[in-house]
Amino acid sequence: MQQDNPLEPIRQQITALDQQLLQLFARRRELSIEVAQTKADAVSPVRDVDRESALLTRLVQQGRELGLDGQYVSRLFHTIIEDSVLRQQAWFQERINPTHPEQVKVAYLGAKGSYSHIAAYHYFERRDRKLVEMGLPNFDAIFTAVDEGQADYGILPVENTSSGAINEVFDLLQNTNLYIVGETTETIAHCLLLADDAKREQITTVFAHPQVHAQCSGYLSKQGWDQQYCASSAEAMTRASSEPNTAAIGSARGGSFYGLNVIEANLANQARNESRFIVVARKSISVPLQVPAKTTLLMATSQQAGALVDALLILKQLGLTMTKLESRPIHGNPWEEMFYLDIAANQESQTMQDALLQLRKITRFIKVLGCYPSDTILPTELAAPALADDPRLTGTAAVQTSAPLYSRQLKPENSQINLNNCQFGGQQLQVIAASNAAVTQAEVKIKEQGGHVLLTDSDDVATTLPTAKVISSETQLANINSHLQLLLIEAAQMANQQLLTQVGKQPRPVLLSRGYGASLQQWLDAAEVILQQGNQQVALLAQRHQDIVDFHDLAELQQLTHLPIVIEPGRADDSATTQANLAKAAASIGVSGVLVSLSEQRQPDDYAVFMKALYA
Ligand SMILES: O=C(O)C(=O)C[C@]1(C(=O)O)C=C[C@@H](O)C=C1
């Protein structure tokens, strides 16, 4: 009989107390949101370490009087305060980005019970959002589902304390249209999970995601089981629940979805096993200044020695803290690296705007992948005076730069584009020679008579000259040769927003022609589309189809933009000498390049005449 069990009355009292504790926690949470509402009016930060310190000191003291250990009390209240801070942050977030519906569709890796699923659950629960779950088989599918609007958000793991960065996700971020709008860190407790009727001694095979295998390699190497990789922890658990003599590695919570029991816990190599996840969406968000924010940048520096150090020095000089630096190879550009930087600052703060402005000047590619609330809540240590000043709060007033990226207003000095040893935007006029002949034949001629870049339709890469090619479609862009250095967008494509957007994601310089009948503003707006995507290496090409190159336009353009300007001088029937004179005149008002035909078949050799007249 239950009444005979002496434990029962005591347990009932514990249950009743726990129930009261829960009600108190819930009430505390409500008060925390009331505090946030008050802070919104006063524009004070969420985090108040002085208050936390005073509160913890008092609680530890009072706890001691009640016989409670100080560590125990501070640990408990750190969890409570962390929840309070994260809730307030979520409340502020919602206040300035109020578009979210009550339920959100979230794409994550694997099925119910996967680590990504649990991270998604925690993240959106904190935001009072009901989760419509969309488990997908791979990371690529998650990006596509959000991009195409089938899901509102995607949640993706980016790093783990034992196995490091998740490269596949970083690689997909290189080409995405999505923005990072949030992050969350999950403590991952890997357990050995077995079906009800299974026995540990009979295990022959263990299923886990490759990252999980890596994180538990120490434990697994001692077991002598066959280790099989699965696309997700959920798949591993599904298999362990149906295949005899097998086990899975997963979380206790995940295992419960599949009727699996925890046989051993804490299998990871590192005692502290945490994974950081990012949340991606189609629209970027603003982060309120009350909330500590992170800004993630994607950046390619020039290939000169020390280029990365120069970029990092800018951050240092502005007092910005970089919390992460990852590098990944650039797709199609062997030995070139794309850098991912997490900076503890709000994108809209003046300091971050200054940093972006300076970084744009020295990078070949730069894009803000997102600015989002930082979910890392460091515990307030007791009696540490340094904590009175929370360095993660930038606290500066919001500044939105409205000047376009192409404008002189934003960047007074000329931009420069480097291709091997030639430099558009520098002192010397650069010559791009267009040729239909075989690449080797054209190369010989350019080397004999002068010139810097070869514009060719050929995919032959056997040349030491930088090569340029006309790109007319996204398909063509997707298949370009990795040696190609300069992309030329012709007049007919100037208004092709999709092509411009894709070209903007390239780490290669772009020469953008003015569209037929397009105004200077429309031309610059097209350049802006490319720049906004991250590609900072854009030059403008005034082509011959504008009848003759209009010097009035060129002079005006010089004032409006810092982008290098290249011209195709004169009409086709202008003599080589006339074209050279036009090129020289253009150079005198700051034009940095000229596009001419190599005209292999002509007699006399127009190219030779042109080059001679140019340097006469
Ligand atoms: O008192 C405040 O200002 C709060 O925001 C509440 C609270 C808490 O939960 O106790 C939360 C965050 C602050 O860092 C300090 C305390």
Side-chain angles (χ1 to χ4, degrees):
M1 294 283 278
Q2 271 201 352
Q3 277 86 337
D4 294 340
N5 185 346
L7 275 180
E8 207 45 46
I10 315 171
R11 282 186 175 163
Q12 276 172 10
Q13 287 184 57
I14 290 181
T15 308
L17 274 180
D18 287 347
Q19 175 68 22
Q20 284 176 34
L21 283 174
L22 283 181
Q23 279 165 358
L24 291 172
F25 289 150
R27 177 68 192 129
R28 196 185 192 285
R29 248 191 184 185
E30 283 168 16
L31 289 172
S32 169
I33 296 302
E34 279 183 39
V35 171
Q37 284 158 350
T38 318
K39 283 178 179 170
D41 301 330
V43 198
S44 32
V46 167
R47 201 89 196 266
D48 182 343
V49 280
D50 280 349
R51 164 71 182 154
E52 286 182 26
S53 226
L55 184 149
L56 286 169
T57 310
R58 184 176 38 77
L59 286 165
V60 166
Q61 180 68 33
Q62 289 173 342
R64 286 215 178 97
E65 285 163 20
L66 294 167
L68 298 171
D69 174 58
Q71 282 289 329
Y72 169 68
V73 173
S74 65
R75 250 199 348 259
L76 268 182
F77 278 88
H78 171 241
T79 309
I80 293 169
I81 292 172
E82 182 185 53
D83 175 74
S84 165
V85 172
L86 290 174
R87 279 250 144 196
Q88 287 192 37
Q89 289 189 182
W91 181 87
F92 273 110
Q93 199 55 38
E94 178 59 21
R95 190 166 169 264
I96 63 161
N97 302 281
T99 50
H100 306 302
E102 260 173 30
Q103 64 177 32
V104 288
K105 204 161 190 188
V106 182
Y108 55 85
L109 184 71
K112 247 185 203 326
S114 67
Y115 290 107
S116 295
H117 173 237
I118 293 169
Y121 178 85
H122 283 155
Y123 181 85
F124 288 99
E125 186 243 15
R126 207 177 281 138
R127 283 155 184 80
D128 291 328
R129 294 281 173 275
K130 202 172 161 305
L131 209 72
V132 181
E133 296 160 0
M134 191 179 193
L136 292 172
N138 53 56
F139 296 134
D140 203 1
I142 298 175
F143 276 88
T144 309
V146 183
D147 203 15
E148 292 179 353
Q150 289 132 19
D152 302 308
Y153 297 97
I155 192 154
L156 301 141
V158 281
E159 59 182 315
N160 175 272
T161 43
S162 25
S163 55
I166 313 233
N167 292 335
E168 208 185 324
V169 175
F170 280 103
D171 290 347
L172 286 162
L173 280 170
Q174 258 185 47
N175 289 310
T176 186
N177 294 320
L178 305 180
Y179 293 93
I180 305 176
V181 296
E183 66 165 1
T184 182
T185 302
E186 280 295 316
T187 303
I188 306 270
H190 292 315
C191 307
L192 183 69
L193 302 168
L194 277 190
D196 270 348
D197 49 354
K199 297 212 162 34
R200 196 188 187 291
E201 316 75 73
Q202 292 168 349
I203 301 175
T204 54
T205 304
V206 64
F207 299 115
H209 185 271
Q211 290 283 340
V212 178
H213 273 285
Q215 289 159 22
C216 303
S217 56
Y219 169 83
L220 285 170
S221 65
K222 294 189 204 113
Q223 309 304 325
W225 298 324
D226 177 27
Q227 298 176 30
Q228 286 200 21
Y229 291 156
C230 297
S232 68
S233 296
E235 186 192 317
M237 293 186 282
T238 312
R239 292 190 68 177
S241 65
S242 59
E243 297 179 31
N245 305 333
T246 66
I249 299 181
S251 69
R253 189 186 187 123
S256 67
F257 284 116
Y258 296 87
L260 299 173
N261 305 312
V262 175
I263 302 301
E264 264 178 272
N266 299 324
L267 310 185
N269 302 348
Q270 278 189 30
R272 186 171 161 231
N273 187 28
E274 287 175 358
S275 281
R276 192 165 78 89
F277 292 80
I278 51 167
V279 182
V280 293
R282 285 182 296 285
K283 231 176 127 226
S284 62
I285 56 158
S286 287
V287 180
L289 291 167
Q290 285 93 341
V291 173
K294 244 185 215 178
T295 300
T296 300
L297 300 182
L298 185 60
M299 178 177 99
T301 57
S302 78
Q303 282 174 294
Q304 282 150 8
L308 178 63
V309 176
D310 289 345
L312 300 187
L313 271 178
I314 291 177
L315 300 180
K316 185 170 178 235
Q317 277 153 7
L318 288 167
L320 290 168
T321 308
M322 185 180 67
T323 56
K324 175 134 210 88
L325 175 67
E326 274 301 327
S327 77
R328 291 292 303 148
I330 299 179
H331 227 59
N333 288 30
W335 309 116
E336 289 193 33
E337 298 287 323
M338 191 63 97
F339 296 102
Y340 297 79
L341 287 83
D342 282 350
I343 299 163
N346 194 317
Q347 185 189 355
E348 291 174 16
S349 71
Q350 185 62 60
T351 330
M352 197 60 216
Q353 288 291 322
D354 289 348
L356 285 170
L357 191 65
Q358 292 188 40
L359 286 171
R360 277 207 170 91
K361 293 179 189 170
I362 61 160
T363 48
R364 290 187 302 132
F365 183 98
I366 184 162
K367 180 180 176 185
V368 177
L369 280 177
C371 174
Y372 47 95
S374 164
D375 261 16
T376 319
I377 310 295
L378 298 176
T380 297
E381 303 291 341
L382 283 180
L387 283 166
D389 179 21
D390 186 355
R392 288 167 301 146
L393 251 179
T394 52
T396 42
V399 174
Q400 272 289 13
T401 315
S402 52
L405 296 177
Y406 64 73
S407 69
R408 284 242 184 247
Q409 206 181 334
L410 195 77
K411 187 179 173 201
E413 64 278 17
N414 290 335
S415 279
Q416 293 188 342
I417 294 178
N418 294 309
L419 296 178
N420 295 2
N421 293 327
C422 69
Q423 188 180 60
F424 290 86
Q427 295 298 318
Q428 213 199 338
L429 190 75
Q430 304 297 312
V431 177
I432 305 173
S435 165
N436 302 323
V439 167
T440 37
Q441 196 183 326
E443 180 175 2
V444 168
K445 201 160 170 194
I446 292 172
K447 288 201 167 148
E448 273 172 13
Q449 288 157 4
H452 305 92
V453 180
L454 172 63
L455 173 64
T456 170
D457 215 25
S458 160
D459 281 326
D460 182 0
V461 292
T463 170
T464 53
L465 286 171
T467 50
K469 187 172 184 167
V470 174
I471 302 294
S472 311
S473 69
E474 287 171 79
T475 327
Q476 197 188 356
L477 185 65
N479 296 313
I480 52 173
N481 192 308
S482 64
H483 291 79
L484 184 65
Q485 278 146 311
L486 180 65
L487 310 176
L488 197 159
I489 305 295
E490 285 196 311
Q493 302 302 330
M494 189 209 81
N496 182 340
Q497 298 285 319
Q498 269 156 359
L499 183 61
L500 298 180
T501 306
Q502 290 311 320
V503 155
K505 291 180 184 164
Q506 288 282 324
R508 296 176 175 77
V510 181
L511 199 49
L512 176 68
S513 299
R514 183 177 182 174
Y516 303 106
S519 66
L520 288 187
Q521 192 53 55
Q522 285 165 330
W523 191 12
L524 290 170
D525 288 345
E528 185 73 7
V529 175
I530 302 175
L531 294 163
Q532 284 289 352
Q533 291 301 316
N535 191 344
Q536 302 302 298
Q537 302 188 96
V538 181
L540 300 167
L541 174 63
Q543 263 178 317
R544 194 183 273 160
H545 68 78
Q546 318 287 342
D547 199 14
I548 61 163
V549 171
D550 183 329
F551 275 75
H552 175 269
D553 277 1
L554 290 179
E556 203 177 325
L557 210 51
Q558 282 290 335
Q559 287 178 51
L560 294 172
T561 182
H562 53 82
L563 302 176
I565 302 170
V566 176
I567 60 159
E568 195 177 12
R571 284 185 289 245
D573 53 358
D574 278 340
S575 75
T577 315
T578 305
Q579 292 195 29
N581 286 338
L582 281 168
K584 282 201 276 192
S588 73
I589 60 162
V591 163
S592 62
V594 51
L595 171 62
V596 287
S597 165
L598 205 53
S599 56
E600 296 83 358
Q601 318 302 337
R602 294 231 194 132
Q603 284 305 328
D605 185 339
D606 281 347
Y607 187 72
V609 175
F610 174 86
M611 290 307 288
K612 205 164 166 216
L614 189 66
Y615 294 116

